[in-house]
């Protein structure tokens, strides 16, 4: 085994070890815990970046890193796999993790207990969900990340946060139950939970058992699509994400992508064109369910008055786009969607962080909010100082400084986020949507031959793609006028450098993607092509052999040379 293959498990073990250290330190030493947390998160991002590089340099089909933690032969033991898709999601998670943590270190990490330990456990669950290669361990990592998200969701208390958090917990517990039921039904039919082994056995399922297989898959899909935010299973998402603290909501921006990733991974593996009678099972449900999600979210974003709510609804629009793309089963469309996923998730993360700073500028001028007041928990209300004040509860000067042209910084950042999410030129959001439209106008999916006519579903999706952008444009323009162009005198809010740094970094990365889009587009297209040929994944996983112990090697030598 290549010693570097041990790095595949490192993104899981690193946050697990760090969370243990946090718990040993207790509730004291908050600055030390913050530094350890930041160091661990940065190291996790570096590991993800190396794995991304490793998968990219290994030839046209990419490299599939397979690691057997228990050293049991596939498909009986735990299997971790890194390929282009999982490595891309690892890097995205690492970037958002670092950004959210930097913002939280300015003030939010002290609003509740065990923030840093929960943050690391959340990262562990996310990394594990992207690396695992069997359904049962996918369930385990889902529960790990959800357990941590329950604590983070309630971080800082507050009536609105607790109320939305209870709904969030209830829905996710129900989804987890459906996850177990669907997994059990699939195991009962196929006798395995390893994804690569399932891809081999699903075409061989007897016709009498195929209905049970499809029923189990549908139940499993409900669990994943509820987490991904597909309509009508997404009613919990907007209240929960809007009520969460800014760094937690920013980290949650990648949570819905876990559901999208899982649907993409399983559907391309288990129900590709090589799945026999089950080929492309559920594709129409994905296409029309995704379009319904886009339509409902676009309608809801028009009357939205709070920036946090608009950011949450924008997540639903992006989720609908990605879910529909999966159902079209078109490699060119999938490649463009992966680029759009990366760019839009960074922009939404920045928007959640920016939302708190913009609302702080309004409360600094004592402007009442439209919605119920408890945006921040009671212990944190002093962080919104009264007009002309810069003191905290202990009457000490708040650490930080007033950044020159603060409102200009907030306004320009808001414009950049809006352009990215709407998909207007010249930023990377426009490049992603433009490539989606180009792929729709050149359909080659679901068995269609080259030059085939565009289907009515594709025309409908194209119209929704444009209309949802128009709805977002109207909503963001109206909110921008209300927040920045009204004639009210607005004092500059107190901002800290750690609060501005992640926003600048995220938007700067999106700008870099706008000028250097071609390398990422080539990578995402290669990822989509690899997903369209699942046999490479299957052969890499099933072809992995265990590492013999010294005693086993001696016994084998004696058997070969008596």
């Amino acid at each position: 085994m290549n010693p570097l293959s041990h790095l595949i498990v490192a993104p899981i073990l690193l946050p697990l070890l760090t969370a243990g250290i946090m718990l040993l330190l207790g509730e004291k030493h908050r600055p030390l815990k913050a530094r350890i947390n930041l160091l661990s998160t940065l190291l996790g991002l570096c590991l993800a970046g190396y794995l991304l590089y490793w998968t990219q340099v290994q030839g046209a089909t990419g490299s599939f890193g397979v690691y057997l933690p228990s050293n049991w032969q596939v498909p009986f033991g735990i299997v971790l796999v890194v390929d282009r898709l999982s490595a891309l999601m690892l890097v995205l998670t690492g970037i958002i993790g670092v950004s959210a943590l930097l913002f939280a270190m300015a003030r939010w990490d002290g609003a509740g207990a065990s923030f840093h330990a929960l943050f690391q456990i959340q990262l562990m669950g996310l990394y594990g969900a992207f690396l695992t290669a069997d359904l049962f361990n996918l369930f385990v990592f889902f529960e790990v990340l959800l357990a941590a998200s329950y604590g983070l969701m309630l971080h800082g208390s507050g009536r609105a946060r607790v109320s939305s958090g209870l709904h969030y917990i209830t829905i996710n517990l129900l989804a987890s139950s459906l996850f177990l039921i669907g997994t059990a039904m699939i195991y009962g039919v196929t006798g395995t939970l390893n994804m690569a082994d399932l891809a081999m056995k699903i075409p061989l399922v007897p016709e009498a058992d195929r209905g049970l297989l499809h029923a189990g898959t549908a139940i499993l899909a409900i669990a994943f699509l509820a987490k991904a935010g597909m309509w009508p299973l997404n009613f919990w998402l907007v209240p929960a994400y809007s009520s969460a603290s800014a760094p937690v909501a920013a980290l949650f921006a990648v949570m819905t992508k876990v559901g999208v990733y899982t649907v993409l991974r399983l559907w391309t593996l288990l129900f590709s064109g090589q799945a026999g009678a089950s080929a492309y099972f559920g594709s129409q449900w994905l296409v029309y369910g995704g379009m319904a999600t886009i339509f409902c979210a676009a309608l809801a974003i028009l009357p939205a008055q709070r920036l946090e709510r608009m950011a949450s609804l924008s997540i639903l629009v992006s989720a609908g786009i990605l879910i529909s793309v999966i159902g079209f089963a078109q490699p060119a469309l999938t490649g463009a969607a992966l680029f759009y996923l990366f760019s839009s998730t960074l922009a939404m993360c920045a928007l959640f962080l920016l939302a708190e700073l913009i609302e702080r500028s309004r409360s600094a001028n004592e402007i009442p909010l439209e919605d119920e007041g408890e945006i921040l928990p009671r212990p944190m209300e002093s962080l919104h100082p009264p007009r002309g004040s810069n003191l905290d509860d202990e009457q000490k000067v708040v650490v930080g400084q007033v950044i020159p042209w603060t409102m200009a910084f907030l306004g320009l950042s808001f414009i950049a986020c809006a352009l990215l999410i709407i998909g207007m030129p010249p930023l990377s959001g426009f490049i992603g949507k433009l490539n989606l439209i180009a792929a729709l106008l050149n359909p080659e999916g679901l068995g269609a031959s080259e030059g085939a006519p565009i289907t009515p579903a594709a025309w409908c999706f194209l119209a929704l793609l444009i209309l949802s952008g128009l709805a977002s444009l109207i909503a963001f323009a109206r909110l921008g006028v209300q927040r920045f162009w009204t004639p009210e005198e607005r004092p500059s809010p107190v901002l800290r450098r750690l609060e501005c740094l992640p926003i600048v970094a995220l938007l700067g990365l999106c700008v870099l993607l706008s000028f250097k889009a071609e390398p990422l587009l080539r990578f995402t297209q290669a990822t989509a092509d690899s997903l369209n040929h699942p046999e490479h994944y299957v052969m890499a996983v099933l072809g992995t052999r265990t590492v013999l112990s010294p005693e086993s090697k001696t016994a084998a030598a004696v058997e070969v040379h008596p």
Side-chain angles (χ1 to χ4, degrees), residues 291-533:
M291 289 195 289
T293 304
I294 300 171
F295 178 76
C296 293
L299 281 182
I301 205 171
L302 284 171
Q305 299 294 320
R306 286 255 313 276
L307 195 52
E308 297 92 340
R309 181 174 176 83
M310 291 178 60
S312 303
L313 290 167
S314 297
I315 286 181
L316 293 183
V317 172
S318 70
I321 292 172
L322 296 169
I323 291 169
S324 287
V325 165
I326 296 172
F328 278 108
Q330 181 181 337
L333 192 59
T334 303
L338 291 175
F339 179 93
Y340 168 78
L341 181 152
F342 196 90
S343 172
S344 64
T345 306
L346 295 179
M348 290 169 196
C349 175
L351 185 60
F352 274 118
L353 300 180
L354 187 65
E356 181 187 321
L357 304 186
I358 292 176
E359 296 299 343
R360 187 185 306 169
S361 72
R362 303 180 69 241
S363 62
N365 201 31
E366 299 180 348
I367 299 175
L369 299 174
E370 292 86 348
D371 293 343
E372 53 202 273
E374 282 191 296
I375 292 178
L376 289 178
R378 293 183 182 277
M380 303 295 291
E381 285 175 352
S382 60
L383 294 176
H384 292 268
R387 186 173 183 177
S389 173
N390 195 26
L391 303 178
D392 62 8
D393 288 338
E394 299 177 358
Q395 300 300 306
K396 296 179 181 178
V397 176
V398 176
V399 178
Q401 67 182 50
V402 176
I403 300 176
W405 304 301
T406 301
M407 296 308 295
F409 165 76
L410 295 178
L412 291 174
S413 299
F414 173 81
I415 292 172
C417 288
L419 290 177
L420 285 163
I421 293 172
I422 295 167
M424 294 186 65
L427 298 182
S428 55
F430 170 74
I431 298 174
K433 287 196 173 182
L434 184 63
N435 279 272
L436 284 170
I437 293 173
L440 280 171
L441 297 178
N442 295 276
E444 295 178 8
L446 289 177
S449 59
E450 187 174 356
I454 304 174
T455 63
W459 281 118
C460 184
F461 179 63
L462 179 60
L464 286 171
L465 198 62
I466 296 172
L467 291 176
S468 64
L470 179 60
S472 298
L473 173 61
I474 295 171
F476 276 101
R478 186 193 64 248
L479 195 84
V481 170
Q482 292 175 353
R483 297 298 190 266
F484 298 104
W485 288 355
T486 51
E488 298 286 345
E489 180 185 354
R490 299 184 185 279
S492 297
V494 176
L495 304 181
R496 297 183 180 182
R497 291 170 181 168
L498 281 179
E499 293 172 327
C500 300
L501 178 60
I503 297 173
V504 172
L506 289 167
L507 295 179
L509 185 55
C510 291
V511 171
L512 180 63
L513 288 179
S514 304
F515 289 97
K516 299 291 184 181
E518 186 179 357
L520 182 57
L521 280 170
R522 285 201 305 266
F523 182 87
T524 56
Q525 190 55 58
T527 303
D529 293 338
S530 178
L531 291 172
N532 196 48
H533 295 88

Side-chain angles (χ1 to χ4, degrees), residues 245-265:
S245 62
V248 171
L251 185 61
F252 282 6
V254 79
M255 285 266 292
T256 54
K257 304 307 183 288
V258 179
V260 172
Y261 163 85
T262 307
V263 173
L264 177 61
R265 170 71 73 191

Side-chain angles (χ1 to χ4, degrees), residues 79-399:
V79 184
L80 302 177
V81 178
V82 61
D83 63 348
R84 283 190 172 114
L85 177 60
S86 57
L88 181 69
M89 299 306 297
L90 292 179
V91 170
L92 181 62
T93 302
I95 293 172
I96 290 180
V98 172
S99 303
L101 179 58
L102 283 173
F103 192 94
M105 287 171 61
R107 60 186 70 217
W108 272 106
D109 62 337
S114 303
F115 173 83
H116 292 289
L118 289 171
F119 191 91
Q120 286 295 312
I121 294 173
Q122 175 85 56
L123 289 179
M124 173 194 167
L126 289 169
Y127 287 143
F130 293 135
L131 288 171
T132 189
D134 64 270
L135 286 179
F136 182 77
N137 285 290
L138 180 63
F139 171 78
V140 171
F141 285 119
F142 257 97
E143 293 308 300
V144 168
L145 68 90
L146 287 174
S149 73
Y150 298 154
L152 291 174
M153 177 67 212
L154 300 174
H155 180 75
S157 69
R159 182 175 50 123
R161 188 166 295 119
V162 171
S163 175
S164 300
L166 291 176
H167 291 122
Y168 171 80
I169 292 171
T170 302
I171 294 301
N172 279 282
L173 288 176
L174 179 60
S176 298
S177 301
L178 294 176
F179 193 148
L180 277 180
I181 294 171
T183 301
M185 293 175 69
I186 293 174
Y187 181 77
V189 174
T190 62
T192 183
L193 292 177
N194 182 277
M195 296 178 187
D197 201 31
L198 280 169
M200 295 290 291
K201 291 186 176 179
I202 282 180
L204 306 177
V205 171
E207 193 61 34
D209 295 335
R210 196 162 297 276
L212 186 60
L213 170 68
H214 290 174
T217 302
I219 293 173
L220 194 64
I222 292 174
F224 294 144
L225 293 172
K227 298 175 191 296
M230 191 182 85
W231 184 86
L233 308 172
N234 55 14
F235 59 90
W236 58 272
L237 189 145
V238 174
Y241 285 29
S242 301
S243 301
S245 62
V248 171
L251 185 61
F252 282 6
V254 79
M255 285 266 292
T256 54
K257 304 307 183 288
V258 179
V260 172
Y261 163 85
T262 307
V263 173
L264 177 61
R265 170 71 73 191
L266 292 179
W267 197 76
T268 53
L269 263 179
L270 309 185
F271 300 105
S272 66
Q274 305 171 15
S278 296
Y280 304 117
F281 169 71
S283 60
Q284 299 302 318
W285 287 97
L286 293 176
V287 170
Y288 291 107
M291 289 195 289
T293 304
I294 300 171
F295 178 76
C296 293
L299 281 182
I301 205 171
L302 284 171
Q305 299 294 320
R306 286 255 313 276
L307 195 52
E308 297 92 340
R309 181 174 176 83
M310 291 178 60
S312 303
L313 290 167
S314 297
I315 286 181
L316 293 183
V317 172
S318 70
I321 292 172
L322 296 169
I323 291 169
S324 287
V325 165
I326 296 172
F328 278 108
Q330 181 181 337
L333 192 59
T334 303
L338 291 175
F339 179 93
Y340 168 78
L341 181 152
F342 196 90
S343 172
S344 64
T345 306
L346 295 179
M348 290 169 196
C349 175
L351 185 60
F352 274 118
L353 300 180
L354 187 65
E356 181 187 321
L357 304 186
I358 292 176
E359 296 299 343
R360 187 185 306 169
S361 72
R362 303 180 69 241
S363 62
N365 201 31
E366 299 180 348
I367 299 175
L369 299 174
E370 292 86 348
D371 293 343
E372 53 202 273
E374 282 191 296
I375 292 178
L376 289 178
R378 293 183 182 277
M380 303 295 291
E381 285 175 352
S382 60
L383 294 176
H384 292 268
R387 186 173 183 177
S389 173
N390 195 26
L391 303 178
D392 62 8
D393 288 338
E394 299 177 358
Q395 300 300 306
K396 296 179 181 178
V397 176
V398 176
V399 178

Side-chain angles (χ1 to χ4, degrees), residues 552-562:
S552 301
K553 291 180 181 178
T554 303
V558 170
E559 183 180 352
V560 174
H561 302 287

